[in-house]
C-alpha cells in the first residue's frame, strides 16, 4: 500500500483548482521524499539548545568536525533563530533545521529563515495546516496512534516519535508500525550512545535525534573538542553495529 501523501484523505478540499492541486501534490511528495533522504543521510540528529549566540558557530563546527552535519536548533532559547542564521552563514557544511516549532507563528518565522527542515515535538491542527501550506519539509511529533492519524490526514508520513523511550520505547514503535507500516520515524527522547544502534535497526526508523551529542554542560564549558569526540565515538559505534 503506498504511503498517504498530502493528496490523500484529510487534505483540505477547499479552494484549490485541479491544476493547483496537482502542483501541490507533486511538491509535497517531493518534500516528504526529501525529508526521508535528509534524515537517512543524517542518521543521528543533535537536538541543540543554544543559550549564548557566541556558541552557535563553534558548536556547529564541532559537530561537523565529528561527522554530524544535520543539526536541529530548537526554539527553546531567545537566541535560537539568530543561532541558526549564524550557523548557515558560517558553517556551510551544516544542514540546519529548526526544532520545537510549536505554533503557526513559529512556523512562519522559521520558513523565512532558509533552513532545510522543521520539526515539532508534537502537533496541533493549526500547526499541521501551516506546515501543509508551506514548502518547508516538516516532521510533526507523535506519541500515539491518534496523533499519527492526524498527521497522516494532512499528508505527513514522516514523524518524530517523541518522547521515544518514555512513550513506549522500541516496543511502542513496533506496535505503531502494525497499523501504520508506511510511516517513517525519527525517535527522539532517551536515545543515546547506548541504544542508538538498536533504534536504527528498526526498519521504520530513518534517523534518531537527541541531546547526547551536544550536552549542555559541554556547550556551557565551550568543550568543542569533547563534542566532536562524542560525535566521532557515536558514528564509529554505529558503523561497527
Ligand atoms: O528535550 C528533549 C530532547 O528533545 C531530546 O531528548 P533527550 O535529551 O533525551 O535526547
Ligand atoms: C523534541 C524535539 O525534538 C523538539 O523539541 O522539536
Amino acid at each position: 500500500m503506498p504511503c498517504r501523501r498530502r493528496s490523500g484523505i484529510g487534505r483540505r478540499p477547499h479552494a484549490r483548482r485541479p491544476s493547483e492541486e496537482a502542483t501541490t501534490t507533486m511538491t509535497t511528495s517531493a518534500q516528504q521524499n526529501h525529508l526521508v533522504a535528509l534524515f537517512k543521510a543524517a542518521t543521528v540528529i543533535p537536538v541543540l539548545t543554544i543559550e549564548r549566540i557566541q556558541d552557535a558557530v563553534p558548536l556547529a563546527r564541532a559537530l561537523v568536525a565529528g561527522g554530524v552535519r544535520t543539526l536541529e536548533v530548537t526554539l527553546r532559547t531567545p537566541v535560537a533563530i539568530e543561532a541558526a542564521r549564524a550557523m548557515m552563514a558560517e558553517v556551510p557544511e551544516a544542514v540546519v533545521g529548526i526544532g520545537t516549532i510549536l505554533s503557526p507563528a513559529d512556523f512562519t518565522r522559521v520558513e523565512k529563515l532558509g533552513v532545510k527542515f522543521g520539526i515539532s515535538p508534537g502537533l496541533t491542527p493549526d500547526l499541521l495546516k501551516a506546515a501543509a501550506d508551506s514548502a518547508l519539509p516538516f516532521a510533526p511529533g507523535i506519541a500515539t496512534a491518534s496523533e499519527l492519524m492526524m498527521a497522516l490526514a494532512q499528508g505527513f508520513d514522516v514523524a518524530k516519535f517523541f518522547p521515544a523511550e518514555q512513550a513506549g520505547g522500541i516496543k511502542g514503535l513496533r506496535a505503531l508500525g502494525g497499523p501504520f507500516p508506511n510511516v517513517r520515524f525519527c525517535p527522539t527522547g532517551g536515545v543515546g550512545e547506548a541504544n542508538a544502534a538498536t533504534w536504527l535497526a528498526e526498519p521504520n526508523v530513518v534517523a534518531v535525534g537527541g541531546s547526547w551529542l551536544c550536552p549542555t554542560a559541554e556547550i556551557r564549558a565551550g568543550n568543542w573538542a569533547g563534542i566532536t569526540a562524542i560525535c566521532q565515538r557515536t558514528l564509529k559505534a554505529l558503523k561497527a553495529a
Side-chain angles (χ1 to χ4, degrees):
M1 193 180 77
C3 295
R4 270 185 199 142
R5 300 293 184 203
R6 206 162 298 178
S7 55
I9 60 160
R11 181 76 186 140
R12 277 163 300 134
H14 60 79
R16 285 208 165 88
R17 294 191 302 272
S19 60
E20 288 174 320
E21 188 62 45
T23 307
T24 304
T25 301
M26 200 168 61
T27 305
T28 301
S29 188
Q31 279 169 235
Q32 295 289 94
N33 290 339
H34 180 69
L35 196 56
V36 169
L38 192 148
F39 279 179
K40 278 188 176 167
T43 315
V44 293
I45 302 177
V47 176
L48 306 175
T49 301
I50 300 170
E51 297 171 322
R52 299 174 302 202
I53 187 62
Q54 63 268 30
D55 291 336
V57 168
L59 174 59
R61 287 196 178 123
L63 291 158
V64 167
V68 172
R69 294 176 54 226
T70 304
L71 316 180
E72 177 187 336
V73 178
T74 62
L75 290 182
R76 299 182 193 186
T77 62
V79 301
I81 294 277
E82 203 47 47
R85 264 202 205 104
M87 287 173 166
M88 286 189 291
E90 303 289 328
V91 193
E93 310 93 314
V95 178
V96 179
I98 295 282
T100 319
I101 297 175
L102 304 180
S103 66
D106 284 346
F107 202 93
T108 305
R109 277 200 302 156
V110 166
E111 71 183 335
K112 288 182 195 148
L113 265 181
V115 291
K116 301 290 187 210
F117 61 95
I119 294 185
S120 176
L123 53 77
T124 67
D126 285 349
L127 178 57
L128 288 176
K129 278 181 195 153
D133 284 340
S134 167
L136 182 69
F138 177 69
I142 70 95
T144 67
S146 298
E147 290 160 359
L148 188 47
M149 286 161 68
M150 286 174 67
L152 286 168
Q154 287 288 350
F156 294 98
D157 58 9
V158 184
K160 168 162 280 201
F161 179 41
F162 179 79
E165 280 292 336
Q166 298 86 342
I170 286 182
K171 282 185 184 167
L173 184 77
R174 284 187 186 154
L176 284 173
F180 307 106
N182 297 311
V183 176
R184 273 74 49 95
F185 294 96
C186 176
T188 301
V191 180
E193 278 185 72
N195 61 359
T198 314
W199 279 103
L200 285 163
E202 293 298 304
N204 54 358
V205 169
V206 286
V208 291
S211 62
W212 86 94
L213 296 155
C214 47
T216 300
E218 306 306 334
I219 299 176
R220 284 183 183 156
N223 184 7
W224 312 126
I227 287 173
T228 299
I230 296 171
C231 296
Q232 287 170 334
R233 204 169 58 226
T234 295
L235 294 180
K236 194 173 166 195
L238 290 178
K239 230 178 212 175

